[in-house]
């Protein structure tokens, strides 16, 4: 995604971009930074559950007069119907978008019930619905996007998985979140291996100042973990979403990461 070949300084050439979990938090910050960089004629497809927030964001981006086509799909990626809706949208809009570049950012995710310990998870429906949203949907959306965009000579394809330190390190009460993040990292490492011409990045954005972080410091069952997150907030160590999103943009623009790598906010 190096910018030097862009039609205007500071702008990327026309691209097809897809961002999941785009309506709030990190996803929203990311979209706001990404949109102005996209060259004339680019397509931006936003996916999230909240139709109102998506419509508002799309209207804001369309109002900039940048020649950017903004589409959105409000769907719950955790249920089959929502996932079908999202993959159908990809198959419809991607082949009609610019053919030079594809950027897919898998940002949608959830914490799961962090008041529970490992031994509390006995209901398969609860576990399966967590993994359906956090793993299955990311795999289906990514494969559908790559198929729909196709493999064209001279085009570049980049897939980003929004990862976490939790993909590498276990935390008490976070059975679902840690295992989901670890599975996603590995899944995208396999993609990097199988498709050497697809650039794949697992990006851990650091402890972000979001609603998810608020849940972490109030709902985590383990008192020490709760305290850890409270201390991060009180000492001003939580990271503003736009600061971390800026680092991801830099990574994509420099494009020097090893495909499939796990890169942490703090290591850039």
């Amino acid at each position: 995604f190096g910018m030097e070949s862009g039609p205007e300084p500071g702008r990327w050439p026309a691209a097809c971009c897809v961002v999941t979990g785009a309506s709030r938090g990190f996803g929203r910050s990311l979209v706001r930074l990404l949109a102005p960089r996209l060259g004339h004629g680019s397509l931006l497809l936003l996916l999230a559950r909240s139709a109102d927030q998506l419509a508002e964001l799309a209207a804001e981006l369309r109002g900039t007069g940048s020649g950017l086509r903004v589409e959105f799909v409000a769907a719950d990626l955790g249920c089959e119907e929502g996932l079908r809706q999202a993959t159908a949208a990809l198959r419809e809009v991607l082949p009609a978008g610019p053919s030079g570049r594809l950027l897919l950012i898998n940002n949608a995710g959830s914490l799961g019930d962090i008041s529970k310990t490992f031994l509390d998870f006995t209901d398969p429906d609860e576990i399966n619905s967590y993994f359906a949203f956090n793993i299955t949907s990311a795999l289906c959306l990514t494969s559908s996007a790559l198929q729909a965009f196709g493999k064209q000579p001279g085009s570049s394809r980049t897939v980003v998985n929004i990862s976490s330190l939790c993909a590498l390190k276990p935390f008490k009460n976070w059975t679902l979140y840690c295992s989901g993040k670890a599975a996603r990292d590995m899944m995208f490492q396999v993609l990097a291996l199988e498709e050497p011409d697809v650039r794949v990045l697992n990006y851990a954005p650091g402890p972000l100042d979001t609603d998810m972080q608020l849940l972490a410091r109030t709902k985590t069952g383990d008192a020490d973990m709760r305290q850890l997150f409270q201390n991060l907030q009180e000492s001003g160590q939580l990271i503003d979403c736009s600061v971390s999103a800026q680092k991801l943009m830099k990574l994509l623009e420099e494009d020097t990461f090893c495909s499939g790598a796990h890169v942490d906010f703090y290591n850039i």
Side-chain angles (χ1 to χ4, degrees), residues 6 26 34 58 92 113 126-127 153 159 167 198 209 235 241 263 266:
F26 187 65
L34 187 58
E92 187 188 331
D113 188 342
E126 179 184 4
I127 300 163
V159 173
V198 175
D209 193 2
S235 59
C241 286
V263 180
Y266 290 113

Side-chain angles (χ1 to χ4, degrees), residues 20 77 83 87 90-91 104 106 108 131-147 159 161 183-184 186-188 190-191 194:
T20 71
L77 300 175
L83 187 52
T87 51
L90 291 174
R91 294 201 176 99
L104 168 61
N106 288 286
F131 289 130
F133 176 46
N134 289 278
I135 299 173
T136 308
S137 78
L139 176 51
C140 290
L141 282 175
T142 303
S143 55
S144 298
L146 289 168
Q147 282 181 17
V159 173
N161 166 41
R184 270 170 65 144
M186 183 51 78
M187 192 164 88
F188 286 105
V190 173
L191 171 64
E194 287 182 355

Side-chain angles (χ1 to χ4, degrees), residues 49-215:
R49 272 176 292 199
S50 162
D52 292 351
Q53 286 174 311
L54 280 177
E56 190 185 300
L57 182 59
E60 174 194 313
L61 300 174
R62 287 173 186 145
T64 58
S66 60
L68 175 65
R69 181 182 162 202
V70 184
E71 303 286 345
F72 67 88
V73 178
D76 179 355
L77 300 175
C79 72
E80 280 184 40
E81 183 46 43
L83 187 52
R84 265 199 295 270
Q85 221 182 319
T87 51
L90 291 174
R91 294 201 176 99
E92 187 188 331
V93 303
L94 290 182
S99 59
R101 284 166 188 245
L102 172 68
L103 172 62
L104 168 61
I105 301 177
N106 288 286
N107 167 63
S110 63
L111 265 182
D113 188 342
I114 51 174
S115 68
K116 293 182 171 180
T117 65
F118 184 106
L119 298 185
D120 294 325
F121 286 108
T122 51
D123 175 9
D125 288 344
E126 179 184 4
I127 300 163
N128 290 338
S129 82
Y130 181 84
F131 289 130
F133 176 46
N134 289 278
I135 299 173
T136 308
S137 78
L139 176 51
C140 290
L141 282 175
T142 303
S143 55
S144 298
L146 289 168
Q147 282 181 17
F149 186 76
K151 197 172 182 173
Q152 297 150 34
S155 69
S156 72
R157 299 177 295 167
T158 302
V159 173
V160 179
N161 166 41
I162 301 305
S163 183
S164 168
L165 174 62
C166 297
L168 311 177
K169 185 177 174 317
F171 287 96
K172 286 181 182 176
N173 289 100
W174 288 32
T175 309
L176 294 181
Y177 190 74
C178 289
S179 44
K181 286 297 186 187
R184 270 170 65 144
D185 262 37
M186 183 51 78
M187 192 164 88
F188 286 105
Q189 286 180 56
V190 173
L191 171 64
L193 208 55
E194 287 182 355
E195 301 289 338
D197 60 342
V198 175
R199 302 281 288 136
V200 181
L201 173 65
N202 290 303
Y203 174 65
L208 301 172
D209 193 2
T210 58
D211 294 347
M212 200 183 259
Q213 188 56 235
L214 174 65
L215 282 176

Side-chain angles (χ1 to χ4, degrees), residues 232-262:
L232 278 178
Q233 191 225 0
E234 285 159 13
S235 59
Q237 288 181 71
L238 291 180
I239 300 160
D240 184 88
C241 286
S242 60
V243 172
S244 186
Q246 195 74 56
K247 278 207 179 176
L248 175 55
M249 290 293 113
K250 189 170 181 279
L251 276 173
L252 293 174
E253 281 165 357
E254 290 172 352
D255 200 26
T256 53
F257 57 86
C258 175
S259 191
H262 176 103

